[in-house]
Each structure stands twice: as C-alpha cells, then as structure tokens.
C-alpha cells in the first residue's frame, strides 16, 4: 500500500480534470484493502477514472484499486472461465483474451477503464454488453470486510446499469470479475452496421475474433477521441428511451431520426443525434467542448474545470429538452 498526500488527480481521470486529493491510497492487494478499511470508513473509490467527472477537491481518502492478475479458473469443452483482478486495464484484458483465442469480449475493444468497474455500468459497444460474458463478480462488503460473490443474475444488469449503481451502491468494492468465454466456435457479433462495413472495406470474409477487435478499434479511433490526447469520458449521456406513443409523434416530426426498437413499448433514440440537431457537434467553449465526430462525447481540450464541463452539459440538456421535449440523463458520474 502506498499513501500520498495532496496530489493532483489529473493523471487518474480520463477527462484530465486537475483536482486534488488530500490523501491518495494505492491498493495492490486484497489484504491491503482490508487493512485500510479496518480503520477508515469514509473514502472514495477510484478505478480506471474513465467514467467520472471531478468537480472539486476530494477531501476524504481516495482509494485507487491497482490489483493485477489474470488467471484461468475453470474449463469445460467449449468454455473457459477467466478471473481478472479489478485493477487490470480493460483493454489489456481484451488483448490477453484475443491472444489466447478466447472469444466474447472482442467487440468491447479499446474501452477505457479497469476490469473492476466494467460491471458497474455494464459497459457496452457494437452490439455487445459486458454482462453477456460476466460469470460472476467478486466484491468486498465494506461493513463486514467479507468477500462475497454476485452471480450474473444477482448483478441485475440493464442498459448501462446494474445493482452496483442501485441497491448495492456504496456497500461493496469490486475486487475481481470472472468471465465465461468461448474456446472455439466463437459466436461472432458483427451485426452492428459499422462493423460489417469495416470488415467489407478490409475484404475480410471469414472474420476471427482478432479481426472483429481490429474493426472495432478502427471505428473507435475514427469516431471517438483518445483520452490520452483529448480528455473525455466516452459517452457523456445515456441514449434516452421513450414510449412507443411518444415515438410515433416524434418520428412524424423527424422522419430521418435514427432509432432502435427496445421492446413493444420502448424506443431508444441516439443522444448523439439529438445533441447534433441542437447544433453542438464540434462546438468549443473555452477548453470545454463537444467532440467533432461524436456529439455524445464532451471533451476537455486542456484546462477545462469540472464545473465548465457540467455547465456545458446542462446547456445541452436544456437545448435538447426545449427542441425535442426529451430529458437527457448523464452517463458519467459527476463527483
Ligand atoms: N449520431 C449522430 N450524430 C452524432 C453521433 C451519433 O447523428 O454525433 C447517430 C449516428 O449516425 C447513428 C446513431 O446516432 O445513427 C448511433 O451512433 P453510434 O453508433 O456512434 O452509437 P451511439 O448510440 O451514439 C453507443 C454507446 C457508445 C458505443 C456505441 C457503439 C451509449 C450511451 N453509447 O453510442 O458507448 O461505443 O454505441 O456501440 O450507449 C460509451 O459508453 O462511452 C460509448 C462510447
């Protein structure tokens, strides 16, 4: 365990916001974590820092989970069960799976963040969500310091949602995730339009999981800003879901609007489209801005403060509400 005082959190959040932590505790083992939590009950957990927007100094201990390790825990004829520690970088884990020819997470290539935070918001991209491969989640119960296991079902996964954002919020620290992956006959998911056209461009007729990963990486690099170059936290808003009755009125007015039918009574509208229609795509206000290729992503060009990003997001929410009557919800956690 390494404890530092009064450090900037800029390198620890992908938005690159420069706020201070009065105490920063780097955890490299489960024992470290238990020892620290034995005496400290009020703290802030920081994973990969890829889904947060920091607006203020954090004046309680910031616990940075940096535990490492990837191991095969069980195998059957078709499947392999792989456990990764919470502090493993997500994309490094995806690369490890592809190198071992283990299928299931290739569509989730290049998503920033750490393994331990992926179940919280059930990360998803290009037709796949992490819940499709999660077998179980290991977590430390803060009140008892005992280790518990959540099965996939216990996690109550939904679109960018899980039990860890609801009933279990603040009660557990995720320490490891076990994934159920295929060893052969991978179920490739190339149905998402952009993947198919990327594979066609590369004349790839019988894609492997490595080809799918390559295609996803190419699409993401084209559309989404690299947090190492321009600070951002991916999608800032969730895609709103409206009722079919409201959708009928909406689509009459905006027949060109992209949309996905979620169920008999629910339709999802891409927030990026709504934000673009309100004229924000590529706009910059000081160092806070809206990405030029994907209006769903807010960016920090250098020295934006958390408040400036929040102010921009509120301006966008008001404009979308006024034009479409739809309330955008933030996907990023504002601290
Ligand atoms: N669109 C626009 N303008 C924009 C952005 C998008 O008109 O500026 C339109 C596109 O033309 C397309 C539709 O909106 O018709 C959907 O766009 P895209 O395929 O880029 O996906 P998205 O719905 O905007 C979601 C996820 C992304 C994920 C992509 C790909 C959410 C909140 N976001 O975005 O996730 O990479 O699908 O699967 O669900 C993230 O969560 O950080 C993230 C990047």
């Amino acid at each position: 365990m390494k404890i530092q005082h009064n450090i900037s959190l800029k390198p620890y959040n992908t938005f690159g916001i420069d706020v201070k932590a009065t105490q920063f505790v780097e955890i490299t083992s489960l024992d470290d974590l238990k020892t620290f939590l034995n005496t400290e009950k009020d703290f802030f957990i920081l994973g990969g820092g890829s889904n947060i927007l920091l607006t203020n100094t954090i004046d309680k201990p910031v616990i940075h989970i940096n535990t490492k390790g990837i191991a095969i825990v069980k195998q059957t004829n078709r499947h392999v069960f792989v456990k990764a520690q919470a502090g493993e970088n997500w994309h490094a884990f995806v690369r490890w799976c592809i190198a071992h020819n283990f299928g299931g997470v290739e569509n989730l290539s290049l998503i920033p963040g750490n393994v331990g935070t992926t179940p919280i918001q059930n990360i998803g991209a290009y037709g796949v969500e992490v819940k499709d491969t999660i077998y179980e989640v290991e977590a430390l119960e803060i009140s008892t310091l005992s280790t518990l296991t959540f099965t996939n079902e216990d996690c109550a996964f939904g679109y960018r949602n899980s039990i860890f954002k609801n009933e279990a919020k603040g009660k557990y620290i995720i320490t490891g995730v076990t994934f159920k992956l295929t060893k052969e006959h991978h179920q490739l998911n190339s149905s998402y339009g952009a993947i198919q056209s990327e594979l066609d461009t590369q004349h790839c007729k019988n894609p492997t999981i490595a080809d799918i990963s390559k295609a996803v990486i190419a699409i993401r690099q084209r559309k989404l800003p690299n947090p190492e170059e321009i600070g951002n936290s991916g999608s800032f808003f969730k895609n709103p879901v409206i009722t079919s009755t409201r959708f009928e009125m909406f689509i009459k007015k905006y027949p060109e609007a992209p949309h996905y039918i979620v169920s008999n009574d629910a339709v999802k509208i891409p927030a990026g489209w709504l934000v673009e229609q309100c004229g924000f795509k590529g706009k910059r206000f000081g160092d806070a801005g809206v990405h030029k290729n994907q209006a769903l992503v807010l960016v920090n060009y250098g020295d934006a403060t958390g408040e400036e990003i929040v102010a921009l997001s509120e301006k966008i929410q008001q404009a979308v509400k006024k034009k479409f009557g739809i309330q955008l919800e933030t996907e990023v956690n504002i601290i």
Side-chain angles (χ1 to χ4, degrees):
M1 177 167 20
K2 186 172 154 198
I3 301 187
Q4 292 168 274
H5 294 277
N6 264 324
I7 69 152
S8 167
L9 291 176
K10 192 167 167 116
Y12 297 100
N13 70 98
T14 59
F15 243 125
I17 304 289
D18 190 9
V19 299
K20 286 218 156 38
T22 47
Q23 194 183 12
F24 186 79
V25 185
E26 189 177 335
I27 296 290
T28 49
S29 74
L30 189 56
D31 283 345
D32 267 9
L33 186 59
K34 286 186 183 170
T35 310
F36 190 78
L37 296 185
N38 237 332
T39 52
E40 188 58 70
K41 295 291 171 213
D42 192 20
F43 48 81
F44 175 79
I45 297 286
L46 182 65
S50 62
N51 204 39
I52 51 168
L53 176 62
L54 300 169
T55 56
N56 260 312
T57 299
I58 302 187
D59 54 12
K60 45 181 139 180
V62 172
I63 299 183
H64 179 46
I65 307 285
N66 200 16
T67 48
K68 301 285 181 196
I70 302 175
I72 295 174
V73 289
K74 190 166 88 176
Q75 297 203 47
T76 62
N77 282 348
R78 256 206 87 197
H79 291 103
V80 59
F81 296 74
V82 179
K83 182 175 177 188
Q85 298 302 315
E88 281 288 343
N89 171 269
W90 171 257
H91 183 61
F93 172 68
V94 171
R95 281 207 312 261
W96 184 95
C97 295
I98 291 166
H100 288 76
N101 194 30
F102 296 155
V105 288
E106 55 283 354
N107 291 50
L108 304 177
S109 295
L110 214 61
I111 295 184
N114 287 351
V115 167
T117 42
T118 59
I120 303 176
Q121 61 146 336
N122 180 24
I123 60 166
Y126 309 106
V128 171
E129 289 180 318
V130 76
K131 73 168 173 57
D132 305 334
T133 54
I134 288 181
Y135 179 65
E136 60 189 28
V137 173
E138 179 195 84
L140 189 69
E141 187 174 40
I142 294 165
S143 59
T144 60
L145 296 190
S146 53
T147 297
L148 304 183
T149 300
F150 290 80
T151 63
N152 181 299
E153 200 174 287
D154 294 339
C155 294
F157 289 120
Y159 167 61
R160 296 295 194 273
N161 205 4
S162 76
I163 193 168
F164 304 106
K165 276 189 151 184
N166 298 295
E167 301 96 282
K169 190 172 177 177
K171 295 188 183 142
Y172 303 91
I173 298 176
I174 295 173
T175 50
V177 182
T178 304
F179 299 87
K180 183 179 175 185
L181 305 165
T182 48
K183 294 200 294 191
E184 53 185 13
H185 308 303
H186 304 305
Q187 280 191 330
L188 297 184
N189 201 321
S190 61
S191 54
Y192 202 89
I195 296 194
Q196 201 46 63
S197 47
E198 187 67 33
L199 292 169
D200 291 346
T201 315
Q202 299 184 5
H203 307 291
C204 185
K205 291 221 164 55
N206 296 303
T208 62
I209 55 172
D211 294 326
I212 300 270
S213 172
K214 245 191 266 164
V216 167
I217 290 173
I219 300 165
R220 288 189 76 95
Q221 284 176 337
R222 249 196 329 264
K223 277 199 151 181
L224 297 167
N226 178 352
E228 277 162 27
E229 288 158 18
I230 305 177
N232 75 90
S233 274
S235 305
F236 197 89
F237 302 105
K238 289 189 203 175
N239 285 335
V241 176
I242 59 175
T243 62
S244 305
T245 322
R246 277 195 69 193
F247 177 70
E248 274 168 37
M249 293 188 296
F250 172 86
I251 204 72
K252 259 190 211 137
K253 208 161 165 199
Y254 305 102
E256 73 289 4
H259 56 273
Y260 320 101
I261 310 287
V262 179
S263 69
N264 276 345
D265 192 38
V267 183
K268 201 185 269 183
I269 316 287
W273 185 84
L274 297 170
V275 177
E276 181 174 348
Q277 295 303 306
C278 292
F280 283 98
K281 194 168 182 171
K283 282 274 158 63
R284 182 172 173 167
F285 305 84
D287 266 358
V290 178
H291 188 54
K292 62 180 191 320
N293 298 335
Q294 168 54 290
L296 193 48
V297 179
L298 303 194
V299 294
N300 170 12
Y301 283 102
D303 290 325
T305 62
E307 274 101 351
E308 284 165 345
I309 305 276
V310 170
L312 172 56
S313 78
E314 286 172 354
K315 206 188 243 184
I316 292 171
Q317 282 171 317
Q318 280 159 15
V320 169
K321 178 87 187 174
K322 193 164 170 219
K323 187 169 167 75
F324 297 103
I326 293 176
Q327 180 64 44
L328 288 185
E329 271 178 51
T330 58
E331 201 224 271
V332 167
N333 295 311
I334 300 171
I335 311 291

